[in-house]
Amino acid sequence: TEQTMIGEPVSLTVRKEFPRPTAEQIAAFQGLATGFVVDAQNGTGALDHRIKPLLNEMTFVGPAITAHLEPRDMLAVQPAIALAQAGDVLVIETAGYDGAAVVGDNVAVMASNKKIRAIVTDGLVRDVAGILPVGIPVFCTGVSPNSPYSQGPGSVGLPVAMGGTTICSGDLLIGDRDGVVVVARERIDTVLRDLEVVRELETALETKVKSGITGMDWVQELLDSDRTRYVD
């Protein structure tokens, strides 16, 4: 029997409305190192190590608005820019496609004009000489002159699997030269509380290190215990 479909294939699926972190929650993460935020999440939350800033000094904090792309396609990117709010982080998920760039200098300018805080992608970018003067932080896995198409399908605002974790629109992203960390929106206050503990422990350890210690207290105990076997 002949199979029939209802309607034409959809090029773009969009979720326009989603909750974002409060301005106070976002401000609480300003200036924090990504390592601190990871430590407050039991050592997790960082995207794949290959997603790095074009310049080491690029940093950002902001809520995600997601875009999913098919290989060598960028249809969803400009609709995502159109639907973004000032301060959003444009997250472009490509399933790690590395055959062509998904962001160039003109897209970076449009994102900057929309007051998007940063662009994060698990794909490639191009026109770096034109992107850098724009001043918008761009985090990616690499650079290629190859250009994409705009045919779809794609989505905006829906959850994406990227860099080893899931990102939902409205989740908080923090980026610096070490990489990008995701804090799920519903866990922001919990992570902020745990950050206080991390900060206290880090301050105490820094004080010890600066006083001249060469190792942690437990190291010598381990070396002297029956949990260590010497072979010489």
Side-chain angles (χ1 to χ4, degrees), residues 23 58 68 81 108 115 224:
M58 289 178 170
H68 163 74
I81 293 173
K115 296 185 171 23
D224 293 341

Side-chain angles (χ1 to χ4, degrees), residues 6 8 13 24 34 36 41 49 54 60 70-71 81 86 89 103 120 153 155 157 163-164 175 205 220:
I6 300 175
E8 294 296 319
T13 304
E24 291 76 18
T34 49
F36 267 21
Q41 298 190 105
H49 68 92
L54 286 177
F60 71 86
E70 290 298 305
I81 293 173
V89 174
V103 169
V120 176
S155 69
L205 179 57
Q220 193 60 48

Side-chain angles (χ1 to χ4, degrees), residues 58-124:
M58 289 178 170
T59 63
F60 71 86
V61 177
I65 180 169
T66 60
H68 163 74
L69 311 183
E70 290 298 305
R72 199 160 192 150
D73 196 89
M74 60 167 291
L75 177 73
V77 173
Q78 292 207 22
I81 293 173
L83 294 168
Q85 295 182 7
D88 282 353
V89 174
L90 177 58
V91 176
I92 304 170
E93 179 263 314
T94 72
Y97 180 73
D98 62 1
V102 293
V103 169
D105 53 358
N106 289 325
V107 169
V109 171
M110 286 184 271
S112 179
N113 291 343
K114 194 68 189 286
K115 296 185 171 23
I116 286 173
R117 181 66 188 89
I119 298 172
V120 176
T121 180
D122 62 350
L124 309 179

Side-chain angles (χ1 to χ4, degrees), residues 115-225:
K115 296 185 171 23
I116 286 173
R117 181 66 188 89
I119 298 172
V120 176
T121 180
D122 62 350
L124 309 179
V125 304
R126 56 179 268 174
D127 309 320
V128 174
I131 290 176
L132 296 181
V134 179
I136 186 171
V138 174
F139 286 60
C140 60
T141 58
V143 178
S144 170
N146 284 345
S147 57
Y149 309 112
S150 292
Q151 298 173 342
S155 69
V156 175
L158 301 181
V160 296
M162 180 171 142
T165 190
T166 299
I167 303 175
C168 297
S169 290
D171 288 348
L172 191 64
L173 269 61
I174 302 97
D176 60 22
R177 68 182 299 174
D178 285 353
V180 179
V181 178
V182 182
V183 180
R185 187 186 61 82
E186 63 272 14
R187 295 196 65 247
I188 288 175
D189 289 336
T190 299
V191 172
L192 283 173
R193 286 194 297 270
D194 291 343
L195 272 166
E196 292 303 315
V197 178
V198 169
R199 187 178 283 108
E200 291 174 6
L201 292 172
E202 183 72 15
T203 299
L205 179 57
E206 283 184 357
T207 299
K208 287 184 177 180
V209 170
K210 289 176 180 177
S211 72
I213 68 167
T214 59
M216 305 296 287
D217 295 339
W218 56 265
V219 175
Q220 193 60 48
E221 294 176 9
L222 173 63
L223 292 173
D224 293 341
S225 75

